[in-house]
Amino acid sequence: MDQVRSFVAFVYKVYNQYRKYVPAYASAALSFYLLILIIPATSIIAWLSNLFHIDLQMLESILSQYLQPEYSKIILSVLNRSSVSISSIVILGFSLYAVSRGVGNIYLISKKMFKDPHVEEEGLVGYYGYVFKVTILLLFAMTVVVFLLVSGPFSKIFHFLTGIAILQYVIMFWLLVVFFMCIYTIVPRATIDVHDAHAGAIVASSGILIFYIFFKIYMHFANYRNVYGPLASLVLLLFVFNWSSEVFYIGMYVTHNLYLRRLKHEKSNLNH
C-alpha cells in the first residue's frame, strides 16, 4: 500500500511540474493552430511543387493510406491545384503567417521550459522576427524531406517499404521522430543537445503512434455521425489534434528534464 501511495504521489508531482510549464489550455490552443495551418501548409507544398514541376503522386498515395478518407480528400484537392498566380502568391503569404502562429504557440511554451541565462528576453519585434525565422527554417526542412521521399531515387524505395503493412508504422514512427527532433532542437532559443531532443522525440512519437493505432481500431466500432451528424469529421479532427498536441508537449517536457539534468551535470563538472 505504501508503494502505491508513493507511486501516486510521484505521478501527481510530475503532473503538477508538467502543468507548470504546459497549461491545460495549451494543447487546445495548439490544436486550433494545427487546424488552421493544415490547408496553408499543404498549399505551400503544392505551390512549390508547381513552381519546380515536381510530381506529388507518391505523396497523394501516402496520404490516402495514412489519413481518414474525409481528411485525405481535402488535402489532395489542395495538392492538385495546378496554377501559380498572383493570388497563389498572396495565399502563400497568409499561409506563412498561419504556420508561424502555430510555431509561436510552441515557442511560448519552450521559453518556460528552456530558460538560458545567456539569452536576453526579446521585445515584440524580436519575438516576431525569431518566430518567422524558425517558421521558414522548419518549413524548409519539412519541404526538403517531403520532396526527397516522394520524388527522385528515394521515392521507389519509400513506396516499396510503405507497401509492407508493418513497415508503414515503422516508417511513420521514424518520420515523426525526425520531425519532433527538428522542432525540439530548433524552436527553443537555448542550445538543445541532440540526444535530449531525440529522447523527447522518441516518447512523443511512441505516444502518437499508439494513439494512431488505437484510433484506427476504435473507428471500426464507433460511429460519431450518430451523435454529431455532419460535424463528425470536424469533431474527430479536433479530438485527434488535441490529444496529439498533448503528447507533443509531453515529449518536449521529457527533453526539458534531460536538458536541465545536462546543465546540472555540466555545472558540477565546472565546479570540480
Side-chain angles (χ1 to χ4, degrees), residues 75 78 92 128 153 185:
I75 296 178
V78 178
L92 177 63
Y128 281 108
T185 306

Side-chain angles (χ1 to χ4, degrees), residues 36-52 78 81 83-101 132 135-136 139-140 142-143 147:
I36 290 177
L37 65 82
I38 286 179
I39 300 304
T42 309
S43 299
I44 292 174
I45 295 176
W47 188 83
L48 291 174
S49 66
N50 289 323
L51 189 63
F52 296 103
V78 178
R81 293 174 185 171
S83 60
V84 178
S85 59
I86 297 298
S87 61
S88 64
I89 295 175
V90 173
I91 292 174
L92 177 63
F94 282 110
S95 301
L96 290 174
Y97 173 76
V99 176
S100 70
R101 297 308 300 146
F132 185 75
T135 300
I136 296 297
L139 282 175
F140 176 76
M142 180 191 71
T143 305
F147 287 155

